[in-house]
Amino acid sequence: MNKTKIKWNVIAYFVMITFTLLTIAPIVWMILNSFKPHSDIVRNPLSPPTSLYLQNFVRSWVQGHLGVYFYNSIFYSMISTVLTVIIAMGSGYALSKFRYNFSKIIYMFYTLGLLITVHSVIVPLFIMETKLGIANTRLGVIIPYIAFGLPFQVFLATTYVKGIPDAMQESAIIDGANYLQVFFTIILPIATPIISTMFIYTFLGNWNEFILVQTLTSEIAIRSLPVGINSFAGGMSRDYGLQFSALVIGTVPMIIFYLIFRDKIAQGFAAGATKE
Amino acid sequence: MTFKQQKMASYWLLIAPGLILFAAVIVFPVFYSFSLSFTKWSGYGKSLFVGLENYRNIFSDPVFLHGLRNNMLIVAISVFGQIPLGFLLAYMLHRKMVRGGEFYQTMIFLPITISPVVVALLWNQIFSSSGIVTALIRNFSGNSQYVMKIFEDKSQAIIPILFVLLWMHTGTYMIIYLANLQKINPSVLEAAQIDGATEGQMFFRIILPSMVGTITTTAIFAIAGSLKAFDLIYAMTGGGPAHFTEVIAIYMYTNTFKYYKYGFGSAVSIIIVLLSVGLILILQSASKKIEKKYE
């Protein structure tokens, strides 16, 4: 082996291990501390727990209403993700296979939408929802979740459906099927790979969303996990054990989700930055 | 219904739900925000047209200017920190310089699943007086009374936040670059290797030129993402202490929802849109020049 190659391998190992430790250490530390009582965390922040102290979890779950927040997060993420993906697939099919000229304009609108962030419309959105009476309701959260998911998901769907050969659609149409039948019986089944990527990517985004729920809701009963954890751990609790257990409750389900779906999540992110 | 009508009807049936939602939640509010930005309005009663007064007040407010400076630092850490580091990691993994690359990749990409709010609170603990950083410094320096003072300094308070942003996002860039590096035809690299090209030559003549497009796109993401940096900072410091870690999005939020200055807040959000579009245009023209150089 030549020397420069070995030198590069050493550097590469050093870089990889450093990054991995930097990423993992805080998470491991958080999990370890969640099993320690407050006094123990303050006195010996770096030492591992001496016994399996589960009281933090019981108390933060009950006092912090984490059960309610957890349920709401699942509710918002599931419903808006399913609707976003169905709507985006329908739009993607229409935009890529119908060959109307105005499709290009609609597609361009969605692309511009990628640049608009929640923060630039949150003020009018709040005013509109208050006027319509849907502020502080579940509907008032789900609608913007879907709308903000759309630009990127329409982009993913359109790009994918464009790649499906026209011949499949044409022969079905000649056999007398209508376009909606083609969509449900041909396009959707073929597009399963992109649908699962879209689903997982959107779900992840919705699960971690913060500012919309923070602004548009004010009742514990309809708030989601990130907002709940923030108000709970940031405000009321001086007990570090409770804070750490709340953070673990917010993190561990997503780490499991990640370990199962890592490739799909990666595909979603990679697809966004690929030109053509 | 004729065939043509049936086709047209199906088209609108498929397109309408998305388009209506998109128009109602994104397009209309952008224009609404624009018109609000020229008014003074506290949420009820009549709004008062004030022309450009909001914009003038914003740009003469030192809090906003400090926030803008912090945003630019965030842009800088994304473009000159996350992107090169992400690229370096991706390149090392792609060239198989380490064994078990899959493992490192999984670990470094992991922060992507964690909600920014959780990341914020976790790092607040890490930087707290009973956190990892203080404990390590106390152990190594022998000074058992050491306290971190970085958050009390106006110009440095943003540094820990920049570090956390780096921690959160470098893995994402790594994944994006890795996916795109894998698209480079390996036979081109093999041929170059047979012709005696060194690792450095292959990197600068083949790999880097084919990645210019991807790097530009990710830089656009980075800029757009940097200007909307909100969740993390909001949960970590709320812009404090004394506005030291203020960013534009938080400035907008406090003015609107704490002081009920809806017109003023809208003007700030319009500035966010204009800034991100402006920066992206500059970046695109710069990258076109680079791409031409490689053609």
Side-chain angles (χ1 to χ4, degrees):
Chain A
M1 290 288 270
N2 67 40
K3 263 189 186 157
T4 47
K5 194 155 187 204
I6 292 172
K7 194 182 84 191
W8 270 106
N9 283 349
V10 173
I11 295 174
Y13 271 107
F14 177 76
V15 172
M16 285 297 158
I17 292 170
T18 310
F19 265 88
T20 304
L21 281 179
L22 274 177
T23 315
I24 296 310
I27 297 168
V28 173
W29 182 68
M30 168 182 83
I31 294 172
L32 288 179
N33 269 354
S34 70
F35 292 107
K36 286 153 66 175
H38 175 74
S39 56
D40 207 10
I41 298 172
V42 178
R43 231 173 291 134
N44 310 308
L46 294 188
S47 64
T50 43
S51 62
L52 197 65
Y53 180 78
L54 294 171
Q55 210 49 38
N56 291 333
F57 286 95
V58 179
R59 284 174 54 212
S60 68
W61 184 268
V62 177
Q63 288 176 18
H65 312 286
L66 294 182
V68 178
Y69 295 135
F70 209 92
Y71 168 79
N72 289 336
S73 273
I74 293 175
F75 183 88
Y76 291 137
S77 308
M78 280 306 288
I79 292 190
S80 36
T81 304
V82 169
L83 291 173
T84 308
V85 172
I86 294 174
I87 294 174
M89 279 308 297
S91 311
Y93 173 52
L95 291 175
S96 61
K97 293 287 180 212
F98 280 62
R99 296 175 198 289
Y100 291 133
N101 277 331
F102 41 83
S103 283
K104 276 183 198 142
I105 300 168
I106 297 175
Y107 187 65
M108 200 190 72
F109 260 108
Y110 276 122
T111 318
L112 286 177
L114 284 171
L115 292 177
I116 305 295
T117 67
V118 181
H119 310 79
S120 20
V121 299
I122 191 82
V123 183
L125 204 58
F126 175 75
I127 299 170
M128 284 159 64
E129 290 212 349
T130 312
K131 277 188 183 161
L132 290 171
I134 56 168
N136 226 350
T137 66
R138 290 183 196 277
L139 187 68
V141 173
I142 289 173
I143 290 176
Y145 270 28
I146 300 172
F148 277 101
L150 281 176
F152 187 52
Q153 300 311 314
V154 168
F155 164 76
L156 287 182
T158 310
T159 322
Y160 193 89
V161 177
K162 213 180 256 171
I164 298 173
D166 283 351
M168 307 191 70
Q169 162 184 326
E170 276 155 18
S171 61
I173 300 269
I174 290 165
D175 290 342
N178 65 40
Y179 280 88
L180 290 180
Q181 284 167 336
V182 171
F183 176 62
F184 285 109
T185 58
I186 298 177
I187 302 292
L188 282 188
I190 297 179
T192 343
I194 197 71
I195 289 175
S196 60
T197 304
M198 286 162 68
F199 190 92
I200 286 158
Y201 185 93
T202 311
F203 187 91
L204 181 67
N206 288 338
W207 182 271
N208 289 336
E209 198 285 326
F210 175 72
I211 187 176
L212 282 169
V213 176
Q214 168 81 10
T215 315
L216 301 173
T217 69
S218 56
E219 283 162 28
I220 288 174
I222 59 166
R223 291 195 137 180
S224 62
L225 206 48
V227 178
I229 289 180
N230 184 48
S231 59
F232 166 67
M236 340 182 324
S237 173
R238 285 282 111 213
D239 185 324
Y240 285 172
L242 293 192
Q243 283 203 25
F244 276 110
S245 61
L247 294 183
V248 169
I249 290 170
T251 313
V252 169
M254 286 324 274
I255 292 184
I256 296 168
F257 178 86
Y258 168 79
L259 292 175
I260 301 171
F261 297 115
R262 199 205 75 202
D263 290 343
K264 285 282 167 190
I265 300 172
Q267 269 169 28
F269 278 94
T274 309
K275 282 195 153 178
E276 274 84 47
Chain B
M1 230 178 358
T2 67
F3 177 74
K4 260 192 176 164
Q5 282 170 326
Q6 185 259 112
K7 186 180 171 190
M8 195 55 125
S10 323
Y11 180 84
W12 286 110
L13 208 60
L14 289 165
I15 258 245
L19 209 55
I20 292 170
L21 281 172
F22 180 69
V25 177
I26 299 176
V27 181
F28 175 70
V30 169
F31 289 101
Y32 190 7
S33 201
F34 188 68
S35 72
L36 268 179
S37 75
F38 301 107
T39 67
K40 212 173 207 167
W41 191 46
S42 62
Y44 39 90
K46 270 195 175 169
S47 59
L48 184 73
F49 182 81
V50 292
L52 290 170
E53 194 189 306
N54 288 328
Y55 290 92
R56 269 198 299 269
N57 289 342
I58 290 168
F59 279 103
S60 56
D61 184 353
V63 174
F64 171 81
L65 294 175
H66 187 68
L68 186 62
R69 170 249 188 203
N70 283 339
N71 269 113
M72 290 304 138
L73 288 175
I74 295 173
V75 170
I77 197 78
S78 316
V79 176
F80 302 112
Q82 290 156 17
I83 287 180
L85 283 174
F87 194 92
L88 176 76
L89 292 169
Y91 185 74
M92 286 174 164
L93 289 171
H94 179 64
R95 302 290 298 152
K96 302 215 172 8
M97 291 181 183
V98 289
R99 267 191 220 166
E102 187 90 345
F103 169 78
Y104 295 111
Q105 193 185 321
T106 308
M107 291 300 136
I108 297 170
F109 188 44
L110 185 93
I112 193 64
T113 48
I114 307 177
S115 139
V117 172
V118 173
V119 171
L121 299 173
L122 171 59
W123 280 90
N124 268 355
Q125 286 289 354
I126 291 175
F127 292 129
S128 81
S129 56
S130 59
I132 298 180
V133 179
T134 310
L136 285 180
I137 294 178
R138 281 182 184 172
N139 275 345
F140 283 110
S141 68
N143 174 6
S144 61
Q145 301 304 311
Y146 172 84
V147 238
M148 261 212 347
K149 289 224 173 80
I150 200 165
F151 281 109
E152 291 160 33
D153 185 291
K154 187 177 180 182
S155 62
Q156 291 177 23
I158 194 78
I159 293 175
I161 291 174
L162 296 178
F163 182 81
V164 177
L165 285 168
L166 202 65
W167 184 84
M168 267 175 94
H169 297 302
T170 303
T172 313
Y173 291 102
M174 173 190 78
I175 288 293
I176 292 171
Y177 293 134
L178 193 58
N180 283 283
L181 282 169
Q182 278 156 359
K183 284 188 195 143
I184 297 173
N185 187 350
S187 60
V188 177
L189 290 176
E190 276 163 31
Q193 214 157 23
I194 292 167
D195 291 344
T198 64
E199 188 79 26
Q201 281 171 331
M202 294 201 304
F203 180 78
F204 286 106
R205 302 256 171 88
I206 302 170
I207 293 172
L208 206 52
S210 61
M211 293 290 287
V212 173
T214 311
I215 294 174
T216 313
T217 319
T218 48
I220 290 176
F221 280 157
I223 291 173
S226 305
L227 289 172
K228 62 171 189 175
F230 178 85
D231 297 6
L232 179 86
I233 304 173
Y234 182 83
M236 237 178 126
T237 64
H243 302 293
F244 290 172
T245 57
E246 191 90 17
V247 287
I248 315 176
I250 289 186
Y251 183 75
M252 181 272 296
Y253 198 84
T254 5
N255 273 296
T256 315
F257 296 106
K258 215 167 161 188
Y259 306 136
Y260 302 104
K261 289 154 78 179
Y262 287 109
F264 188 86
S266 299
V268 181
S269 60
I270 293 297
I271 291 174
I272 298 180
V273 177
L274 292 180
L275 268 177
S276 68
V277 172
L279 282 171
I280 287 164
L281 288 179
I282 294 172
L283 184 79
Q284 273 184 333
S285 75
S287 82
K288 265 194 195 125
K289 274 184 195 145
I290 299 173
E291 267 175 86
K292 258 189 200 145
K293 224 171 102 185
Y294 276 118
E295 264 164 21

